[in-house]
Amino acid sequence: AVVSTQSGHYGRGMEEEYVPERSSLSYFFWIIAVRYNIWTGSYCLEPWERKLFNTTMVTVFLMTIWTAYIFLPGWLTSSMSMLCAGKEKILEHASDLTKIFTEHFQ
């Protein structure tokens, strides 16, 4: 479907925008693109600014994914080893804690 919209930008007049059919998968991606443009405010930018902004956003996103891929496994391994070591120490002293608890509340 083609939707006509009135644009007040610099006297451009009527512009036509393509809107896919609601039942298609392309409509889903179109909605995501529209929400992204509204959420980031990139619909207000000039085309070259929008390209620069989107390139920056993609770069930051990919750097975040890459950093998580590199550092997250090591961090999780060290965290789990510390948690497991702490659990073993607690289990070693569990009998002492049980004795203290039973002596105190008898």
Side-chain angles (χ1 to χ4, degrees):
V2 176
V3 177
S4 295
T5 58
Q6 180 67 35
S7 174
H9 277 304
Y10 308 109
R12 291 182 191 158
M14 299 296 286
E15 296 176 359
E16 293 184 352
E17 180 181 353
Y18 173 74
V19 179
E21 296 295 324
R22 283 185 174 255
S23 61
S24 67
L25 186 61
S26 60
Y27 180 75
F28 174 74
F29 290 115
W30 180 80
I31 288 292
I32 289 176
V34 168
R35 287 183 181 175
Y36 170 77
N37 285 330
I38 291 172
W39 184 68
T40 59
S42 62
Y43 63 92
C44 295
L45 301 175
E46 294 290 326
W48 70 270
E49 293 172 326
R50 190 176 303 137
K51 287 178 186 175
L52 182 65
F53 176 76
N54 289 334
T55 303
T56 305
M57 292 292 287
V58 168
T59 303
V60 168
F61 178 73
L62 291 177
M63 288 174 66
T64 303
I65 296 298
W66 178 256
T67 303
Y69 174 74
I70 295 296
F71 292 109
L72 196 59
W75 180 81
L76 287 175
T77 303
S78 66
S79 298
M80 292 307 290
S81 66
M82 287 184 352
L83 287 174
C84 292
K87 182 179 177 183
E88 291 170 358
K89 289 179 183 178
I90 290 173
L91 291 177
E92 288 175 4
H93 300 293
S95 60
D96 297 336
L97 293 174
T98 305
K99 289 178 189 175
I100 294 170
F101 183 76
T102 53
E103 291 174 1
H104 182 56
F105 288 106
Q106 283 183 345

